[in-house]
Amino acid sequence: MSATTSGAHGSDAVLQANGPGRRERKKRDTRRRIIEAAQALFARDGYGAVTTQQIAQAADIGTGTLFRYAGSKAELLIMVMNEELRWGAQRGLSIAERGGSSADAIYGLIEPLVLASLAQPENTSVFQREVLFGADGPYRSQALERIHELEEAMVTVLDRVAPDRSSPGTPNNRRIAEIIFSVVYLKLVRLELGKVSPEDLPEVLRSDIGRLLTDL
């Protein structure tokens, strides 16, 4: 092996050992700035009032660069909400690891989504619509994965405090997690329709989760 080849391979090894290369780090930094800019503007002004040009300016990039990371304003919102869902899964599992009750841990999983629904009802409504009925794309797929991760985190929490029941006709923990998530989602829809007050929603959800864990 020549010295040149050996040196090239050595350089590759150093780059791999030091983590992602400059181009990848730049892409990650750009994506982070886009998410932070979109999150701040959507939270402040609401989905309908924000333009992609405003997000690009806040992220200090051109609109052409912005659209290389997200093809539409809806995708930008999904990017932001996906981060909220990811944080919720981490928080709920952390509560369980600290010895918190299963009800507290499960509420911790969904709390970011609940808080977003209370503080940013328009944004949450658009997110739900796009995830359910929007065009297929990487961020919609990621949102579905995030929702699946929340359900899996619920199963993990339930498995820690109550291993799957073995009696016939009793739902297992995975089924219980699906039921809890369905109830939570329906309550968020009722909030959007004005059927439950924002002030009551957190306590209503805590009560529903506790009752489900007791009755199922």
Side-chain angles (χ1 to χ4, degrees):
M1 180 183 296
S2 69
T4 302
T5 303
S6 177
H9 288 177
S11 298
D12 290 342
V14 170
L15 287 173
Q16 291 174 3
N18 290 338
R22 181 185 301 174
R23 180 178 297 180
E24 183 61 28
R25 290 197 301 272
K26 183 178 180 180
K27 288 174 61 177
R28 290 182 183 181
D29 179 66
T30 301
R31 185 177 185 277
R32 175 188 58 79
R33 286 189 284 118
I34 290 171
I35 290 175
E36 290 176 353
Q39 186 175 41
L41 288 168
F42 286 144
R44 188 189 71 188
D45 300 330
Y47 178 81
V50 175
T51 67
T52 53
Q53 184 176 2
Q54 287 175 317
I55 294 172
Q57 289 175 344
D60 195 25
I61 59 174
T63 52
T65 299
L66 178 70
F67 286 123
R68 287 203 293 270
Y69 286 80
S72 66
K73 186 167 73 169
E75 283 193 348
L76 288 165
L77 178 66
I78 294 174
M79 286 174 67
V80 168
M81 294 300 296
N82 283 347
E83 291 300 305
E84 297 289 336
L85 293 175
R86 182 179 63 82
W87 181 78
Q90 293 174 345
R91 183 174 183 274
L93 291 174
S94 177
I95 291 172
E97 289 170 357
R98 295 198 304 267
S101 70
S102 56
D104 285 343
I106 288 174
Y107 185 80
L109 293 170
I110 62 160
E111 187 175 38
L113 191 56
V114 174
L115 294 178
S117 298
L118 296 175
Q120 306 164 33
E122 178 193 8
N123 299 344
T124 308
S125 175
V126 173
F127 171 72
Q128 292 171 340
R129 184 186 70 222
E130 290 296 324
V131 170
L132 288 174
F133 308 114
D136 288 337
Y139 296 112
R140 180 174 182 266
S141 297
Q142 189 180 70
L144 295 172
E145 290 175 6
R146 290 282 184 262
I147 291 170
H148 177 69
E149 287 170 5
L150 281 180
E151 290 188 354
E152 288 298 312
M154 286 186 191
V155 174
T156 299
V157 168
L158 293 169
D159 284 345
R160 286 177 177 170
V161 298
D164 275 341
R165 290 81 166 172
S166 58
S167 56
T170 302
N172 61 24
N173 285 340
R174 186 168 300 281
R175 179 59 179 149
I176 292 173
E178 292 172 356
I179 293 170
I180 291 174
F181 194 86
S182 297
V183 168
V184 169
Y185 185 80
L186 288 174
K187 281 294 190 297
L188 295 180
V189 172
R190 287 178 63 82
L191 173 71
E192 184 181 338
L193 296 175
K195 300 297 185 180
V196 59
S197 72
E199 295 79 11
D200 294 340
L201 181 64
E203 186 55 40
V204 167
L205 283 173
R206 286 184 179 274
S207 176
D208 286 349
I209 291 169
R211 188 178 301 114
L212 284 167
L213 291 176
T214 301
D215 293 345
L216 291 175

